[in-house]
Amino acid sequence: MTAPAQETVPARETTARHAATGSAYAAALAGTPPFDGLRITGTERPTATGFAALTLFVTAEEPDGAERRFVVRAAPWDTRVYPEPRIAEQYELLRILGRETGVPVPAVHHCEPSARLLGGPFLVMDLVPGRVPPDFPSYHRQGWIAGLPEEDRARLWWATLEAMAGVHRLDADRLGLGFAAPPDGGPPGTAQQLEHYARHTAFFGRAGDPVLTEALSWLRTHLPPEPGPPGLLWGDARLGNVVYGEDLRPAALIDWEMTGLGPAEVDLGWFLWMDRFLSEGVGGERLAGLPGHEETAERYGELLGRPLGPLPYYEVLAGFRFALITSRVERLVLAARVMPPGVPLVLHANAKAQLRRALDRVTGRS
């Protein structure tokens, strides 16, 4: 199914709407599915839901008094992290995964392509109860995962890898998931993932950056062969995008903004890169009990039933993309003036430093 077109509005209009109060959000959503027939009793903007979207937790009441909880994910045009919001594609993907596969995802209820209500297109889905690991401060430093016994940390890690492998074992063609690929960059695969970001270095604010230029050149020169037909990619595959149940197994894989088509190594490389960034990348140590990256790669090959491609390549690819994204995030943070004057922003600097170290390893400079 082709995703519907998404409408955009001028930045001055979306900025005003983005600043709406909770009651204004409720008024905007009233009458929109699935809230027609329900009474909205509360809206909340959580503080730890990533950078790429406006997120609202909405509580509503059925006519019989039963309470329901939803998540609204909107993409205001002037504060978007990615070149295209792709809300409609996310909605259709979650709809298919929820109805036709065993991948744990939230049930979706509505996709609104218009930007008039919340400043950008949005989707509505169930709020899945459970716990989500923090990114800042890192789960390696504090939080509920740090409080688990080591054997439970390992159990959570392997359960996450099994759920991710379930995504990668899907037959994307049979499910009709061609729309998940980015709209530019050539045929689906590793090269498309690379070139999609390469085409938007100016949008991310890093055109001509020497570290990213070197990384892009190395990635193009060392592009590996595809291991098989392109499969579905989660995109932002990491512990912080999983809702965990009491049994420490994934109750839902969330945040599919970066979805695409390509080899599973793209997701695995990102997963390992983000785990490294949230430990080594911020000057910390990995939690004891979490399986090592080599052990993880070996097990993941077993889950896929095939040898893995060169993971150092896919980790550099992850580092290239992450450095671009963190650059865009910092520009948005500075523009919004949400940090006190004089407070240094180190997210992008840390991301680029980790990419520099990875380039040194793969080029033999370290």
Side-chain angles (χ1 to χ4, degrees), residues 28-249:
L29 292 169
T32 300
F35 303 112
D36 47 348
L38 304 179
R39 184 174 70 89
I40 296 177
T41 58
T43 60
E44 174 190 358
R45 284 194 66 175
T47 58
T49 55
F51 302 106
L54 163 66
T55 300
L56 302 173
F57 290 170
V58 181
T59 304
E61 189 178 273
E62 298 270 14
D64 63 2
E67 183 178 274
R68 297 178 64 184
R69 301 199 70 194
F70 303 91
V71 177
V72 175
R73 295 274 287 178
W77 185 255
D78 57 332
T79 57
R80 69 196 191 282
V81 171
Y82 304 109
E84 303 89 14
R86 305 193 72 205
I87 289 288
E89 290 89 339
Q90 292 177 62
Y91 170 82
E92 181 63 7
L93 176 61
L94 291 173
R95 187 191 69 82
I96 292 172
L97 292 179
R99 291 185 180 183
E100 302 186 34
T101 79
V103 175
V105 293
V108 289
H109 299 285
H110 179 65
C111 177
E112 176 56 58
S114 171
R116 292 191 175 90
L117 295 176
L118 295 180
F122 65 88
L123 61 85
V124 184
M125 56 190 150
D126 282 345
L127 190 154
V128 178
R131 296 184 291 180
V132 178
D135 289 334
F136 305 106
S138 165
Y139 57 80
H140 287 288
R141 290 183 165 175
Q142 63 185 67
W144 63 272
I145 291 184
L148 293 174
E150 290 186 19
E151 60 271 21
D152 284 346
R153 296 174 193 164
R155 188 156 58 90
L156 175 146
W157 180 271
W158 292 129
T160 307
L161 270 292
E162 290 169 5
M164 189 165 75
V167 173
H168 298 145
R169 289 193 295 259
L170 296 175
D171 186 332
D173 285 340
R174 183 186 66 79
L175 291 169
L177 301 181
F179 64 87
D184 59 8
T190 304
Q192 182 191 53
Q193 289 290 308
L194 172 62
E195 297 302 331
H196 173 67
Y197 284 84
R199 291 175 188 226
H200 295 287
T201 53
F203 168 83
F204 289 111
R206 277 293 171 256
D209 181 279
V211 175
L212 275 80
T213 298
E214 181 186 352
L216 178 58
S217 175
W218 185 88
L219 288 163
R220 283 171 168 165
T221 301
H222 295 85
L223 186 71
E226 296 295 301
L232 178 64
L233 298 174
W234 178 5
D236 195 1
R238 54 192 175 90
L239 295 186
N241 277 337
V242 181
V243 180
Y244 290 95
E246 291 300 318
D247 59 357
L248 302 182
R249 300 190 63 82

Side-chain angles (χ1 to χ4, degrees), residues 263-283:
E265 287 85 347
V266 174
D267 271 352
L268 182 59
W270 182 271
F271 184 89
L272 297 176
W273 183 267
M274 293 305 299
D275 181 70
R276 180 174 285 115
F277 178 76
L278 291 171
S279 51
E280 170 193 314
V282 295

Side-chain angles (χ1 to χ4, degrees), residues 224-225 227 265 306-314:
E265 287 85 347
R306 64 168 175 81
L308 293 179
L311 272 184
Y313 178 92
Y314 291 98

Side-chain angles (χ1 to χ4, degrees), residues 312-336:
Y313 178 92
Y314 291 98
E315 291 195 49
V316 173
L317 174 60
F320 172 72
R321 295 185 298 153
F322 186 59
L324 287 173
I325 292 167
T326 55
S327 171
R328 173 70 176 169
V329 167
E330 285 204 354
R331 293 177 70 195
L332 293 173
V333 168
L334 289 170

